[in-house]
Amino acid sequence: MTLQTAPINRKELFLRACRGEVLPRVPVWIMRQAGRYLPEYREIRAKHAFLEVCKTPQLAVEVSIQPFRRLGVDAVIVFSDILIPAEAMGLQLELGDAGPVVPNPVRSKTDVDRLKIFDPEKDTGFLPEAIRRIVKSVGPEVPVLGFAGAPWTLACYMVEGKTNEGFATVKSFLYREPKIFRGLLHRIVQATIPYLKAQILAGATAVQLFDTWCGELNLQDYEDFALPAVQEIIAGLGGAVPVIYYTKASQHLLPAVARSGANVLSVDWRVGLAEIRKTLGPQIALQGNVDPAVLFAPPEKIREAALAAINSLHGHGHILNLGHGILQHTPVDNAQLFVETAQRALLQHATTAAQVR
Ligand code: CP3
């Protein structure tokens, strides 16, 4: 059977993918697509510190749109960082070359009690403002994504205080003081719901929760601590927009992850998409999952990896992406090839590719 559909725009394509529908082509974007592999990003960063870019809407908008302009990706993610709410909750935040540092990490009940539930428009108003301006600039036919860190992953940074040298400090907090640690997760949940709602109100088409470090937990601890916090956030958003839940190295957690309430599960390259679909069923859409290191390979290999991911789900509830953020020294041409491969790929059920405006 041939599907002769009228052209649809990128936003509709993206929303259809989130709903698990059969697609005329697979939408594609890249985690960390605004970043140091782009010369125009480096140019801005040469003049402005990372946090200054995050907090100055004009600059945040510019770098958010750079990958859309350069690569023609199918979604624009607002430029920010998962640690912005940690700062708004009262922690100090330094984002230097060695990764984020929190000089006053959370280690006790007093530290948890001190964390503020902030007002997202008043205290982090630069973020919804950047979203409003991005939406205005790219127009109503391009999806704009908001995001936040998932509570466990954010807690890792808030407790460890620096990019992890293992997770001994945060895990010993969890094991020694489970009640206080749950209190910390709960605080993060209470701060994150209004923070995401403000992004949705500003015009975000969908939001993504980043749970980069959930794979560090065993199934029981994931189910006891990390999962309920994610479920609470997703339930708190009340289905206003689709939620994408990114988890890394989570193959031992997948059936639990699927109970998060997210519409889309974003996964890494450690498990095949077809296998995950078989385990979780067609209700949950999938995003991913090419290894970012593949973008250092010759063009044929990049094309092959992108097509392998696409063909494993046959354009059914799939958003093509990498399995983690794009790496700093990735050649821009290779990122471009990755995007173009998805946009030109002929799906078995569609006669003509790319009927997307
Ligand atoms: O996807 C996008 O383009 C939007 C922007 C975005 C950034 N960070 C910008 C950034 C997003 C969605 C994030 C999420 C984020 N931040 C995560 C979750 C996803 C992941 O990658 O695991 C995490 C764990 C962080 C925390 C963080 N911020 C780390 C560990 C680092 C240092 C590592 C690095 O790549 O430098 C950052 C800094 C950061 N956040 C940069 C960018 C572009 C690099 C800063 C620079 O320009 O010097």
Side-chain angles (χ1 to χ4, degrees), residues 88 144 258:
V144 176

Short mmCIF file of all heavy atoms in Angstrom, two decimals, residues 88 144 258:
data_model
loop_
_atom_site.label_atom_id
_atom_site.label_comp_id
_atom_site.label_asym_id
_atom_site.label_seq_id
_atom_site.Cartn_x
_atom_site.Cartn_y
_atom_site.Cartn_z
N ALA A 88 19.42 27.99 41.29
CA ALA A 88 18.23 28.73 41.73
C ALA A 88 17.73 28.21 43.08
O ALA A 88 17.08 28.93 43.84
CB ALA A 88 17.13 28.63 40.68
N VAL A 144 10.03 23.24 19.54
CA VAL A 144 11.05 23.78 20.44
C VAL A 144 10.98 22.96 21.73
O VAL A 144 9.91 22.75 22.28
CB VAL A 144 10.78 25.28 20.72
CG1 VAL A 144 11.77 25.82 21.73
CG2 VAL A 144 10.85 26.07 19.41
N ALA A 258 9.96 2.26 31.67
CA ALA A 258 8.75 2.39 30.84
C ALA A 258 7.53 2.76 31.68
O ALA A 258 6.53 3.24 31.15
CB ALA A 258 8.49 1.09 30.08
#
